[in-house]
Amino acid sequence: QVPLKPGRSLMDWIRLTKSGKDLTGLKGRLIEVTEDELSKHNKKEDCWICIRGFVYNVTPYMEYHPGGEDELMKAAGTDGTDLFDQVHRWVNYESMLKECLVGRMAVKPIAAPKGELLLHILIFLPQLPEDEIVVYIFFSLLHFLFYSYDWFQTDSLITVVIYTKQKDMNAELVIVDCQDKQLRGEIIMDDHSYLVEVDLDHAVSEDVAVNIAEKVGKVEIILNKKDNIHWKMLGQPWEGHNTFIKRTDRGLFYRKCKLVSKTEVTHDTKLFCLMLPKGTHLRVPTGQHVYLKQIIAGTEVVKPYTPVLPSLPLDFQEPPLHDGVHIYLMIKIYSHGLFTQALDHLQIGDYISVSNPEGNFKKSQVQTLEDLLLLAGGTGFTPMVKLLNFALTEVNCLRTVKLIFFNKTEDDILWRNQLEQLALKDERFEVQFILSQPSKDWVGKQGTISPSLLSEFVKRSRRDSKVLICICGPAPFTEQGVQ
């Protein structure tokens, strides 16, 4: 993020979009945009960007973009969909930029490929570049070979069975939501997913059971009928039903979760406990995050947060039992933060929309480690919580886990007592607190992230040990740390 000029906050942008001012320069007309036309609008004072087939004039948004003008300019006059997906596909650009919509991209005709077989295949393909066709066919075949579903019924139950043929199927790879007669079951396979999504033929109760046969990759979703009647069909399919596609092409799915508690962690940080709906089966994997969505002044605003544990377990003899019902989020409340202020004003019993988990981190990156080094700046500590827990509980070859925790003042240190107790309890774990604005009484290390400071702490337990270094914090902290 970059500092924005006064009067260029998110709230100021929302006010501008509602002012009636012409932000497209087209006086309300929508046009069809060719690639040639799009490419002409590639300057800061005249900048158009295409996202998922829609073209936006982002010129008036330049000074309001939290990532800065240079980031927007990377996609100036081009299709910025891939760049957008890499950086922040969670942002609801349709809502944020609706007053900047210029129109749709003109559809390019596909050049006739060589060979009748390829021509036949292309008829049934979306309009893809030829080098992506082989990949598309491969994953389509994967879908038919490895994914299928069926359903059965008794007088009182409906059982939906998804056959995945995945040998390592587990609870974190299965997401089920059943609300208001809509059933959605998603199976994750790396960056793709398989989806069963239907409007059920009849009503079912809120309780949903999920059984997973890990060795054969079979997933059962068990629903309780509200009435003991015979169903003729499972229900009406949704558009994405029975498809196996890239997860980024699905868009994010949200469910409403109830706020059940809000506890103070430090002077400006709180631990929010959210309860999943009864009909939801969801486990957020270690190292992954969710998005919270709020309507603020009529505009959808979305922010990412990494779930934590309710506390740091101090007894690592057995893996802790996650109840699968609650999601805990440690959130810093900013005095001028539009989104966090809205969160802080939520009352116990209020609802907030929570997305499916996202992220690329995999536990396999940790399972053969000897040394794990964690560099955290402020609330960049949050992704470290579950990772710490997983490493100390389940990685047997681990020799050392070291957390180097940067904060401004002592009052800003999250879970200081718990971390110090953990260091006493488990000899493999060490924590080092470093402050940039310490009081006169501080006897620990001080400074900001730098090569000299890190060289003191970032060391292997032995010369050729297998090491992973994880870093999280504000962008400047992360960039400096990576360098």
Side-chain angles (χ1 to χ4, degrees), residues 261-313:
S261 71
K262 196 166 35 167
T263 334
E264 212 163 89
V265 179
T266 67
H267 62 102
D268 63 359
T269 303
K270 294 182 180 176
L271 186 69
F272 288 71
C273 176
L274 305 175
M275 187 163 71
L276 292 164
K278 271 191 176 178
T280 294
H281 168 96
L282 171 68
R283 307 281 187 277
V284 181
T286 298
Q288 295 199 13
H289 52 272
V290 294
Y291 298 100
L292 302 188
K293 181 168 71 176
Q294 282 277 75
I295 307 288
I296 299 174
T299 297
E300 274 188 6
V301 185
V302 178
K303 296 282 179 189
Y305 293 97
T306 307
V308 298
L309 300 171
S311 62
L312 272 179

Side-chain angles (χ1 to χ4, degrees), residues 13 23-26 30-31 33 38 41-43 46-62 72 75-81 84 91-105:
W13 173 251
L23 300 182
T24 64
L26 297 174
L30 289 178
I31 61 171
V33 183
L38 176 64
H41 302 270
N42 61 356
K43 302 175 191 67
D46 177 20
C47 183
W48 290 9
I49 291 175
C50 173
I51 306 176
R52 300 200 214 293
F54 289 93
V55 179
Y56 297 90
N57 180 359
V58 298
T59 317
Y61 184 58
M62 280 284 171
L72 273 184
T78 67
D79 189 325
T81 307
F84 176 82
V91 170
N92 189 335
Y93 64 92
E94 296 104 320
S95 177
M96 296 281 286
L97 299 175
K98 62 187 173 191
E99 299 304 323
C100 301
L101 180 63
V102 170
R104 276 181 181 273
M105 280 299 288

Side-chain angles (χ1 to χ4, degrees), residues 242-253:
N242 197 25
T243 56
F244 181 82
I245 61 171
K246 264 187 150 180
R247 291 169 70 189
T248 48
D249 292 340
R250 285 217 189 277
L252 288 166
F253 181 82

